[in-house]
């Protein structure tokens, strides 16, 4: 990820859950909050209840790839956490991509489409 870093600290996740805006779909929940820097920090939360490590890691890889491919569309300066819901386990890559980008657009963290 060229313009972003990973979000790994527990207190940052908790602050984002508490003070950030949340946007939900059937597959994902997206939390976002301005971070005051020039880069995005992105975190993923995949609960143990969703399946074994192989299943959880597959979902993580897919979400990281979706962000990586669309990274230029995201506005800089945001903390973003994506929480995976149970329906995401059976969702296709295209469904996850649509859901992720729709939530980001709803949150207002995507650049406007240039005509």
């Amino acid at each position: 990820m060229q313009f972003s870093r990973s979000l790994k600290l527990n207190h940052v996740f908790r602050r984002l859950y508490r003070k950030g805006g949340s946007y939900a779909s059937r597959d994902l929940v997206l939390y976002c909050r301005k971070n005051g820097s020039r880069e995005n920090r992105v975190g993923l939360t995949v609960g143990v209840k969703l399946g074994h490590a192989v299943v959880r890691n597959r979902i993580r890889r897919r979400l990281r790839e979706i962000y990586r491919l669309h990274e230029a569309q995201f506005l800089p300066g945001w903390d973003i956490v994506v929480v995976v819901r149970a329906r995401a386990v059976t969702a296709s890559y295209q469904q996850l991509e649509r859901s992720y980008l729709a939530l980001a657009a709803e949150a207002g963290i995507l650049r406007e489409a240039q005509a």
Side-chain angles (χ1 to χ4, degrees):
M1 292 189 281
Q2 189 176 7
F3 306 111
S4 306
R5 289 186 304 158
S6 290
L7 195 66
K8 295 183 179 182
L9 299 175
N10 189 24
H11 75 275
V12 179
F13 275 84
R14 285 193 321 240
R15 180 176 51 213
L16 194 56
Y17 294 145
R18 200 173 51 249
K19 295 186 177 182
S22 67
Y23 305 88
S25 71
R26 292 177 6 173
D27 306 320
L28 307 170
V29 179
L30 184 133
Y31 292 89
C32 62
R33 180 175 191 250
K34 279 214 171 271
N35 65 16
S37 72
R38 293 184 186 171
E39 61 186 3
N40 289 336
R41 296 188 300 179
V42 181
L44 300 172
T45 302
V46 183
V48 176
K49 292 180 181 181
L50 297 183
H52 297 291
V54 174
V55 174
R56 296 191 311 267
N57 288 331
R58 183 185 320 120
I59 294 171
R60 278 191 205 102
R61 284 193 306 271
R62 287 178 172 182
L63 293 174
R64 276 196 301 265
E65 181 67 4
I66 290 167
Y67 181 81
R68 186 187 72 80
L69 291 174
H70 298 281
E71 184 175 22
Q73 296 176 5
F74 283 81
L75 294 171
W78 290 87
D79 286 343
I80 303 166
V81 170
V82 178
V83 179
V84 178
R85 289 182 163 178
R87 293 189 81 137
V89 173
T90 58
S92 69
Y93 177 86
Q94 289 77 19
Q95 288 172 321
L96 287 175
E97 186 175 36
R98 276 194 305 269
S99 189
Y100 198 132
L101 295 176
L103 290 175
E106 185 181 339
I109 59 175
L110 286 183
R111 296 183 196 274
E112 295 297 320
Q114 298 176 358

